[in-house]
Amino acid sequence: MFQRLGQALSKTRQRLKAGIEDLILGKKTIDADLIERLEGILLGADLGVRTVQRLLATLHDRLDRRERPDPSRLNTFLKTELLTLLEKKPGRFNAAAAVPFVVMMVGVNGVGKTTTIGKLAHRFKGEGKAVLLVAGDTFRAAAIEQLEVWGQRVHCPVVKHQSGSDPSAVIFDGLSAAKARGMDVVIVDTAGRMHTKFNLMEELKKMKRVMDKALPGSPHETLLILDATTGQNALSQAGRFHEAIGVTGVVLTKLDGTAKGGVVVPITEELGIPVKWVGLGEGMEDLEDFSARDFVEGLFGD
Amino acid sequence: MLDRLSEKLESIFKKLRGRGVLNEADIDAALKEVRLALLEADVHFKVVKDFLTAIRQKAVGQEVRESLTPGQQVVKIVWEELRRLMGGDLSDGKPLLSPHPPTIVMLVGLQGSGKTTTAAKLAYRFKQEGRRITLAAADPRRPAAVDQLVALGRQIGVETQTLPANDAVGVCREAVARARDRYDDLVILDTAGRLHVDEALMAELKSIKAELKPHEILLVADAMTGQDAVQMAERFHRDVGLTGIILTKLDGDARGGAVLSIRAVTGIPVKFIGIGEKPEALEPFHPDRMASRILGMGDVLSLIERAEEVFSNDQAEAAARQWQTTAFSFEDFRDQIRNVRKMGSLGNLLGMLPGAGRLMQGVSNPEFPERELTRIEAIIGSMTVQERRQPGVIDGGRRKRIAGGSGTTAQEVNRLLKQFLQTKKLMKTLSRSPGRSGLANLLRSL
């Protein structure tokens, strides 16, 4: 099931593994040089300087107490630490919790929201669910067309208004239609927006209020899409979106490149938002459940 | 950030006061803080290491200038080195136009970095200069990518080549042929975005390059990119040979350290920065401003420049004279507000001020002053001409009417009247140093 994630991370794993094995090879004790190089490897994975320093401080404390620190324990130690951090909040996703189950997709520009919607819709269709897409990005040129192409690919109806219209209006129509047509899942697209733009974040709040009005209790999931190539700014993105509308989970996209997406560690740690899915390519199949174990295993190898 | 950084540096250097020369231990302590700042800004960790080694060599043994504190001295060395790494004084705002038009500009980059939006912005910029442009929609794979470029092209009045469908090289070939026929100055090729590990994409880019021999190959890179920036840029540079960088999405709060990593591995100049979604949101790159941003120092230079763009000299002098006369009215006040708003959103303007970042963190609504200005404009809009010119005539009844008309309350109208009088007084003092220099002085003194 997590084979693809494993494959995608294999390069990373090789590099990291080589890195860690290189480090450990021939070392009898853990010295400053070893720690510095280890720090480099973790920083290079975008874990962020604060998280890395915290990890290393814990490492230092624990290993200091042992009489003869053994470098080969570094690997196990780091894996366990990261796993504990990432598993604090389970990333489960129960689409049967409500009918229709409403998922709202948000994020900054260019992270892959529309593509992820296509993949998610495909997955729900595969589970035999009736899925409706709502074209809530009425701002960007051809965003509606892009969603329609995905709708045709995965055979889902798309509710849309004209480009430039009020996104809340199309969302209201979409949810009403879903109720009337007895859909199981509704996925709502929204325009990409910088988390620093006050008015656009207010617009998002309004959309959320409108959803609750059209279908009380919705949206049932609010997913923040994060690009794995993004660095520490992802923390700021997650913080602002979470503060504005309450994010229930993260989808980490573009993990099939060389970027490692390590910034999800501080996001889970500091904001308590779990990663729920990972995107591994451009095909409709390229979406996987997030597994902290595989993510960490993938990073460090065995 | 700089505030935090320089505060920390100051505390480290406190004990140094009076010694006059930067010594190694003190510098190491200071560089630790600089390292944190750079890593938080997403500069690649190896680039940070090399950078700090260079700084250390420069700083050790340097005399602390009389006008500076040791902390400031280190920041100055760091800032100057950052600026040098990003191209020094060079602010090369345009691709060179070839003496044999059309100039062919090819945009490459990861998916989602903003290539299509940037293609339209570049086209808009050169169109404003009176150039003739053709756009080529050479991304047949992403759903509706072609539609997006066509729609953007229509918005700015530039034609887009879309045929033959599903043939990226063909579209570029046709676009260049058409541009030649029409004696266009510029062709912009918007290529497909893929991860740099995608061999098929790289092969496609190579064949576009081989056939059309673009004059400029620009990497469109997201300012929010993390450590991966190094590998991404290295790969694109190795495979297609880049001539320049366009850094996008700088309108957010990303510090943009990735640009330093990209510069370090490619050595090519940054040509433009993208600061929003609209066609005009493209600016020339300024290494000095970017250096300040990466360190978190705010961007006073941009602010002053923008102010100078909006207020012409004559206008500023005329305004200054007005402030001095008693004839200054609500109509003039409204003009001033509109001028200020032309400089951009107040939130953005504040963001350029050093220290404002921290200030704004405490404000729950950073665009609050923006709304306030809208209300003020509404109140002035609900006044009669006489009331605007002679605010003295506004009595209780009129106040009520104005409040009703502008959707505000009588108290708010009152407050505006009071503010108006205060402003008049303040500006009278200020206008003793008239014109543009007065305004610039005011901004500098902030």
Side-chain angles (χ1 to χ4, degrees), chain B residues 24 49 67 126 128 176 197 211 235 303 365 415 441:
Chain B
E24 293 196 27
K49 203 176 169 192
S67 56
F126 281 93
Q128 294 296 96
V176 172
V197 290
E211 176 154 351
R235 201 65 163 263
L303 179 60
N365 176 353
R415 204 168 56 213
N441 283 341

Side-chain angles (χ1 to χ4, degrees), chain A residues 36 39-40 43 46 109-110 141-142 146 194-195 197-199 229 231-233 236-237 254 256-258 282, chain B residues 35-36 42 45 49 111-112 142-144 148 194-196 224-228 249 251 253-254 277 365 367:
Chain A
E36 193 196 317
E39 184 184 28
L43 285 174
D46 280 319
N109 316 67
Q146 191 182 346
M194 281 292 161
H195 50 291
K197 301 247 161 100
F198 178 80
N199 288 336
T229 56
Q232 297 312 299
N233 192 249
S236 169
Q237 291 171 25
K254 308 186 199 175
D256 46 332
T258 46
E282 287 168 287
Chain B
R35 176 172 181 271
L36 276 184
D42 284 323
F45 75 95
K49 203 176 169 192
Q111 69 268 56
R142 177 165 64 92
Q148 188 186 350
R194 288 297 171 278
L195 289 172
H196 47 286
M224 300 183 287
T225 312
Q227 303 280 315
D228 194 46
K249 305 185 201 173
D251 48 330
D253 57 355
E277 295 182 80
N365 176 353
E367 279 167 45

Side-chain angles (χ1 to χ4, degrees), chain B residues 86-105:
Chain B
M86 286 186 293
D89 292 319
L90 169 118
S91 139
D92 181 3
K94 53 181 76 170
L96 289 177
L97 286 172
S98 160
H100 307 290
T103 303
I104 303 170
V105 175

Side-chain angles (χ1 to χ4, degrees), chain A residues 11-289:
Chain A
K11 274 193 200 119
T12 308
R13 177 165 57 223
Q14 273 159 19
R15 199 178 319 109
L16 265 175
K17 197 172 167 186
I20 287 184
E21 274 173 3
D22 262 4
L23 285 181
I24 295 165
L25 204 69
K27 292 265 184 190
K28 293 220 170 53
T29 52
I30 296 167
D31 56 21
D33 177 55
L34 184 69
I35 296 291
E36 193 196 317
R37 287 165 68 190
L38 185 62
E39 184 184 28
I41 289 169
L42 295 172
L43 285 174
D46 280 319
L47 258 71
V49 65
R50 274 176 296 159
T51 306
V52 171
Q53 287 189 339
R54 207 154 41 222
L55 270 173
L56 292 178
T58 327
L59 180 79
H60 193 259
D61 286 353
R62 298 249 178 104
L63 295 182
D64 251 10
R65 273 185 247 122
R66 299 168 55 87
E67 252 176 47
R68 296 191 55 184
D70 176 5
S72 69
R73 280 186 45 84
L74 282 179
N75 202 348
T76 328
F77 170 81
L78 282 172
K79 265 200 274 184
T80 323
E81 271 305 301
L82 288 169
L83 207 59
T84 321
L85 286 179
L86 287 169
E87 277 183 340
K88 250 196 303 198
K89 276 233 170 177
R92 289 285 73 100
F93 194 104
N94 183 12
V99 178
F101 188 77
V102 182
V103 184
M104 182 185 193
M105 311 289 269
V106 300
V108 301
N109 316 67
V111 289
K113 277 181 297 301
T114 311
T115 309
T116 305
I117 290 172
K119 294 176 185 175
L120 211 49
H122 176 70
R123 179 173 264 254
F124 286 132
K125 288 287 280 191
E127 291 171 9
K129 294 193 159 74
V131 183
L132 178 83
L133 308 181
V134 181
D137 182 356
T138 56
F139 177 78
R140 205 202 71 202
I144 299 172
E145 287 85 341
Q146 191 182 346
L147 191 69
E148 281 187 301
V149 172
W150 273 106
Q152 283 158 15
R153 272 190 201 168
V154 299
H155 310 290
C156 288
V158 177
V159 173
K160 57 165 183 172
H161 280 188
Q162 296 231 311
S163 183
S165 58
D166 181 1
S168 294
V170 66
I171 288 172
F172 189 87
D173 282 2
L175 297 201
S176 312
K179 204 158 85 180
R181 294 196 222 166
M183 299 308 243
D184 300 311
V185 177
V186 188
I187 308 177
V188 178
D189 193 10
T190 65
R193 64 201 69 223
M194 281 292 161
H195 50 291
T196 49
K197 301 247 161 100
F198 178 80
N199 288 336
L200 294 180
M201 297 308 275
E202 288 295 302
E203 183 186 71
L204 218 48
K205 288 185 195 167
K206 180 181 168 192
M207 289 184 218
K208 205 180 164 193
R209 283 197 301 271
V210 166
M211 287 188 197
D212 189 45
K213 212 172 248 175
L215 267 177
S218 72
H220 306 96
E221 285 280 349
T222 303
L223 297 181
L224 174 70
I225 320 300
L226 286 180
D227 182 335
T229 56
T230 305
Q232 297 312 299
N233 192 249
L235 203 52
S236 169
Q237 291 171 25
R240 296 284 191 99
F241 275 102
H242 192 50
E243 187 186 73
I245 52 165
V247 172
T248 60
V250 162
V251 183
L252 190 62
T253 62
K254 308 186 199 175
L255 208 55
D256 46 332
T258 46
K260 296 137 201 159
V263 69
V264 296
V265 174
I267 288 175
T268 309
E269 188 185 7
E270 289 171 28
L271 300 169
I273 305 171
V275 186
K276 299 210 168 172
W277 310 83
V278 291
L280 297 162
E282 287 168 287
M284 13 185 207
E285 314 278 349
D286 300 330
L287 186 77
E288 297 284 340
D289 289 324

Side-chain angles (χ1 to χ4, degrees), chain B residues 317-332:
Chain B
E317 268 162 30
R321 275 198 301 278
Q322 261 176 3
W323 293 118
Q324 283 169 306
T325 62
T326 42
F328 182 72
S329 72
F330 265 115
E331 281 166 343
D332 305 317

Side-chain angles (χ1 to χ4, degrees), chain B residues 205-222:
Chain B
L205 294 181
K206 281 183 202 167
S207 46
I208 293 177
K209 184 188 175 186
E211 176 154 351
L212 296 158
K213 307 193 171 51
H215 302 87
E216 295 272 356
I217 301 179
L218 304 179
L219 175 71
V220 179
D222 186 329

